[in-house]
Amino acid sequence: MHLLITGNTGFIGPVMTRMAKERGHKVTGLDVGYFKDCIVDPAMDCPPDHQILRDIREVKAEDLKGIDAIIHLAGLSNDPLGALNPQLTYDINLDSTVRLGQLAKDNGVQRFVFASSCSIYGAAHGSDAALDESAPFNPVSAYAVSKVRSEEGLSPLADKDFCPVFMRNATAYGVSARTRMDLVVNNLAGWAYTAGVIKVMSDGTPWRPLVHIEDISLAALCAAEAPTDVVHNQAFNIGRNDANYQVMDIANAVHKRFPDAKLEITGETGGDARSYRVNFDKALGGLPGFAPKWTVEMGADEVANWLRSNGLRDQAFDGRLFIRLKQLKHQMEQGLLDGDLRVVRGRSL
Ligand SMILES: NC(=O)c1ccc[n+]([C@@H]2O[C@H](COP(=O)([O-])OP(=O)(O)OC[C@H]3O[C@@H](n4cnc5c(N)ncnc54)[C@H](O)[C@@H]3O)[C@@H](O)[C@H]2O)c1
C-alpha cells in the first residue's frame, strides 16, 4: 500500500514510518516540520520514501495522488499547546482534519485512520468501570474537544467509498528520534534522571491508561490494512487492559529504575482533571493483527536506558528540544512562524 502519514516528523511518526516500511508499505510523509530538528538520536529517525513539507491547513488534492490510505497524526498534540490558543487547536486539529477527510473522499482515498485519544473520556469520576467505546465523552481541554469533534465531523463522511477509523490512543510512552518528555512515563523518568526527583503533581490517585508508541503504530497500521467491514466507521480504544495505572504506580515503576531519586507526591488538586480507566477489549479481540507487545515496565527500562545513554542534562530536558511550546515560541521569535503558527512567507523551518 502507499500510505500517507501526516505528522510524520513528530514523536510517533518516525516509529510508525519505520514499522510501515518494515511491513512493505511505501510511505509519503506530510508535516509542516515544527519539530523536525528536535532530534536527539538521528540514528533512530526513519525518513519516509517521500516527504511533503506542508501545513495541514494547506493540503492539496495533488498531495493525495496515488495514496491508498491516510494515517492522520498531524496536530497540536497536547493540552499546553491547546491552551496557547484554543482557536488554533480547532483550526489545525479539527477543521483541517475534517477537510482532509473530505479531500480524501473526493480524491478516491478510501481508508482514513485518525489518531484520536482516550482523553475524550476526560474526567470520569464517579464511575469505577473501565470505559469502552460507547462511554460518554467528557473532554476537559481544547485538545480533547478537538478530537471529539473531529470524530463527529469525519463519521458522516463514511459510505461505501470512504472508511474512517478512529484510534482512541491511550497516553503514549517510549523512545523515538523525537522523544516527547511531556507524557507521564517519560516525564517522570526525565526528572528522575536530570534532577534526581520524581515529582507527582497530584495525590497520585488519577488513573491513566498507557501505551507504547510501537503499539499505537501497530494498531494504526492494522487499521489501515484491515478488511473494510471490520473497521468501517468504528472507534477502537488502543492500549492494553493491564496498563491502566494510577499515577503513583507509574512513579513507583520509574523509581525502581532510579532508586536514588527522591519521590515527591505533592497532593495538589485542581490542575489536571483527567482520570479514567479504559477497556481495550474491542481492539484486542476485533482489530486483526493487533497484539500489544510492550508493558510499562519494559517502557520504563527503555526510557531509563535512553536517558542514561544520551547523558541528558537538565537544561536540554527543560528546553525547546523537548518542550513543544518552547520550540513554537522560539520559531515565532525567530520570525519563522506567525501568530497563527503558519510559516512566514519566504522562510522555512
Ligand atoms: N502521544 C500521545 O500520548 C498521544 C495519545 C493519543 C493521541 N495522540 C495523537 O497522535 C498524534 C501524534 O502524536 P505525537 O505524540 O507524535 O505528537 P507530536 O507533537 O510529536 O507530532 C505532531 C506532528 O504534527 C505536526 N503538525 C502540527 N501542526 C501541523 C500543521 N498545522 N500542519 C502540518 N503538520 C502539523 C507537527 O509538526 C508534529 O510533527 C497527534 O494527533 C496526537 O493527538 C498522541
Side-chain angles (χ1 to χ4, degrees):
M1 258 198 266
H2 186 175
L3 299 175
L4 177 72
I5 301 182
T6 72
N8 70 296
T9 63
F11 173 44
I12 298 172
V15 170
M16 190 178 288
T17 301
R18 171 178 52 79
M19 290 173 64
K21 285 177 152 187
E22 285 166 3
R23 291 163 88 88
H25 299 302
K26 179 178 173 191
V27 179
T28 290
L30 187 148
D31 198 303
V32 69
Y34 293 146
F35 314 113
K36 76 180 166 34
D37 297 330
C38 297
I39 283 200
V40 174
D41 188 350
M44 293 187 75
D45 199 12
C46 183
D49 298 292
H50 174 58
Q51 179 72 56
I52 302 171
L53 277 178
R54 199 186 313 291
D55 196 303
I56 196 74
R57 290 166 286 187
E58 285 154 24
V59 178
K60 304 174 182 155
E62 69 196 53
D63 298 333
L64 307 186
K65 213 165 163 200
I67 299 295
D68 300 304
I70 296 174
I71 301 179
H72 180 43
L73 302 176
L76 297 180
S77 60
N78 64 13
D79 298 341
L81 292 186
L84 174 75
N85 178 343
Q87 189 50 47
L88 264 184
T89 294
Y90 296 131
D91 291 349
I92 295 174
N93 290 17
L94 167 59
D95 297 348
S96 299
T97 294
V98 178
R99 187 174 156 268
L100 180 63
Q102 185 67 57
L103 200 66
K105 180 171 171 166
D106 294 345
N107 287 277
V109 183
Q110 298 208 335
R111 187 65 53 93
F112 190 97
V113 179
F114 174 57
S116 186
S117 165
C118 283
S119 66
I120 63 178
Y121 302 124
H125 298 294
S127 158
D128 270 351
L131 305 167
D132 68 16
E133 289 79 357
S134 66
F137 299 143
N138 193 6
V140 294
S141 64
Y143 167 79
V145 170
S146 78
K147 295 293 183 188
V148 171
R149 295 215 211 128
S150 293
E151 289 196 14
E152 291 171 349
L154 289 169
S155 182
L157 300 178
D159 65 10
K160 65 176 187 18
D161 298 319
F162 186 69
C163 170
V165 193
F166 310 111
M167 316 306 285
R168 296 183 183 163
N169 298 304
T171 297
Y173 61 86
V175 168
S176 102
R178 294 181 193 78
T179 299
R180 275 176 60 183
M181 279 292 162
D182 55 344
L183 300 160
V184 62
V185 175
N186 293 12
N187 187 264
L188 294 178
W191 283 120
Y193 178 70
T194 59
V197 56
I198 302 168
K199 204 175 210 176
V200 176
M201 308 290 278
S202 70
D203 63 0
T205 59
W207 288 93
R208 287 284 184 286
L210 301 173
V211 64
H212 192 276
I213 50 177
E214 280 194 358
D215 290 331
I216 289 183
S217 300
L218 175 66
L221 292 166
C222 290
E225 295 161 359
T228 303
D229 56 335
V230 239
V231 294
H232 187 67
N233 209 9
Q234 294 286 314
F236 294 94
N237 294 334
I238 300 302
R240 48 192 294 162
N241 290 323
D242 59 3
N244 282 295
Y245 272 76
Q246 284 183 290
V247 175
M248 200 171 341
D249 295 327
I250 304 171
N252 285 326
V254 168
H255 200 204
K256 270 201 253 166
R257 275 81 196 170
F258 299 97
D260 296 337
K262 194 169 151 225
L263 180 57
E264 266 180 43
I265 313 273
T266 66
E268 287 167 47
T269 51
D272 187 344
R274 292 174 305 156
S275 181
Y276 45 91
R277 288 168 55 229
V278 175
N279 177 308
F280 297 98
D281 288 348
K282 184 175 172 186
L284 293 169
L287 184 59
F290 177 60
K293 295 190 178 64
W294 286 81
T295 64
V296 170
E297 296 287 328
M298 289 159 64
D301 279 337
E302 182 196 35
V303 178
N305 291 337
W306 174 82
L307 285 162
R308 290 187 172 113
S309 63
N310 283 289
L312 277 192
R313 297 278 170 272
D314 47 358
Q315 305 98 292
F317 176 62
D318 202 24
R320 65 187 172 87
L321 189 59
F322 294 113
I323 312 277
R324 267 141 177 57
L325 197 54
K326 287 190 179 170
Q327 168 72 354
L328 295 176
K329 285 186 170 161
H330 171 78
Q331 289 168 327
M332 286 195 252
E333 282 158 18
Q334 296 295 307
L336 302 175
L337 292 178
D338 68 15
D340 289 334
L341 298 183
R342 289 183 193 269
V343 179
V344 171
R345 194 179 288 272
R347 308 296 303 267
S348 57
L349 298 179

